[in-house]
Amino acid sequence: QKEVEQNSGPLSVPEGAIASLNCTYSDRGSQSFFWYRQYSGKSPELIMFIYSNGDKEDGRFTAQLNKASQYVSLLIRDSQPSDSATYLCAVMDSSYKLIFGSGTRLLVRP
Amino acid sequence: DVKVTQSSRYLVKRTGEKVFLECVQDMDHENMFWYRQDPGLGLRLIYFSYDVKMKEKGDIPEGYSVSREKKERFSLILESASTNQTSMYLCASSLGDRGRKGYTFGSGTRLTVV
């Protein structure tokens, strides 16, 4: 059974801090990795994707991938209350299906 | 922007009814997917399709079927609705590169079966 694991949280950080969200996956054949943001009652929204080991930055967001450790993370710099949401890690498995973690709830305190 | 439109935001159906959930995308995406999302269980793949008239079972296909007669439309059918099918249903689509740039989701249909 291919799995994507995330801590459910909530992860609580003060406004302006760095929020660090983590994810591990079981399928070593996975090639593509995604972070989605989901506000309460809304559908998931793609934030970033990453294919290669290392870091990928987009504005206040940085995705980090370590394939040897089967570990993906998302850093959110200068966190804002509007970043409060559930963050879903998703991994495309070797048969091109997207497997989702159950999400980490992030709370940014004003 | 890719738009994925789900026909209903909220639905209430009775046990045993046949239920149709419709999904339409407007960007000529090859791939379409149906997930359900439940608290604590995350998103689980029900069915997917990589082409017209093609369908593949996901992880939890029991009690569901799908139809893809046109490229832009992917329908999920609950043959005989049961209370354990009460859930948020999410449709998604992606480009023909097997979705390497991620999926775009519709706004979801919250189905309650009573």
Side-chain angles (χ1 to χ4, degrees):
Chain A
Q1 180 77 6
K2 297 167 186 172
E3 292 183 342
V4 178
E5 300 284 347
Q6 293 181 258
N7 188 317
S8 61
L11 172 66
S12 181
V13 301
E15 184 173 355
I18 295 175
S20 177
L21 303 159
N22 305 311
C23 168
T24 59
Y25 60 95
S26 62
D27 183 3
R28 283 201 170 273
S30 300
Q31 296 295 320
S32 307
F33 307 86
F34 305 84
W35 283 100
Y36 283 82
R37 177 176 62 201
Q38 187 174 26
Y39 292 111
S40 180
K42 303 292 186 183
S43 60
E45 172 193 9
L46 181 64
I47 301 174
M48 294 190 70
F49 57 86
I50 185 168
Y51 305 144
S52 307
N53 276 331
D55 294 2
K56 179 181 178 183
E57 189 173 315
D58 183 0
R60 296 187 295 114
F61 298 97
T62 299
Q64 299 175 318
L65 173 61
N66 184 326
K67 288 186 179 180
S69 301
Q70 294 175 247
Y71 180 90
V72 193
S73 64
L74 179 70
L75 302 178
I76 306 174
R77 288 181 298 281
D78 188 24
S79 296
Q80 301 297 310
S82 58
D83 294 326
S84 297
T86 297
Y87 289 80
L88 303 173
C89 173
V91 174
M92 186 157 289
D93 70 11
S94 45
S95 59
Y96 300 104
K97 289 189 292 185
L98 206 53
I99 312 296
F100 284 84
S102 54
T104 298
R105 190 164 150 239
L106 173 66
L107 295 174
V108 181
R109 307 187 304 272
Chain B
D1 271 359
V2 177
K3 207 168 193 180
V4 180
T5 303
Q6 294 184 232
S7 54
S8 303
R9 190 75 179 93
Y10 299 95
L11 271 181
V12 180
K13 296 291 182 181
R14 295 195 178 277
T15 300
E17 275 193 80
K18 191 168 186 175
V19 181
F20 293 85
L21 303 183
E22 304 289 343
C23 176
V24 178
Q25 50 91 7
D26 67 358
M27 284 298 289
D28 205 33
H29 278 182
E30 283 80 4
N31 311 322
M32 297 188 75
F33 309 85
W34 276 105
Y35 286 84
R36 63 177 283 178
Q37 186 174 29
D38 302 286
L41 296 177
L43 280 87
R44 292 179 291 166
L45 182 63
I46 305 171
Y47 266 97
F48 60 102
S49 170
Y50 288 148
D51 203 351
V52 176
K53 297 199 188 283
M54 177 268 183
K55 57 187 177 185
E56 294 278 351
K57 292 180 180 179
D59 299 319
I60 51 162
E62 296 78 20
Y64 303 95
S65 62
V66 290
S67 172
R68 194 166 182 201
E69 296 296 319
K70 294 185 177 180
K71 189 175 186 179
E72 66 271 18
R73 185 180 297 269
F74 193 35
S75 303
L76 180 69
I77 303 155
L78 285 66
E79 298 292 342
S80 177
S82 64
T83 54
N84 63 13
Q85 292 178 309
T86 291
S87 186
M88 170 69 90
Y89 289 87
L90 290 160
C91 176
S93 73
S94 70
L95 280 170
D97 58 353
R98 298 295 173 119
R100 290 188 78 240
K101 293 184 179 174
Y103 300 177
T104 300
F105 283 88
S107 55
T109 295
R110 184 164 293 282
L111 173 68
T112 303
V113 182
V114 298

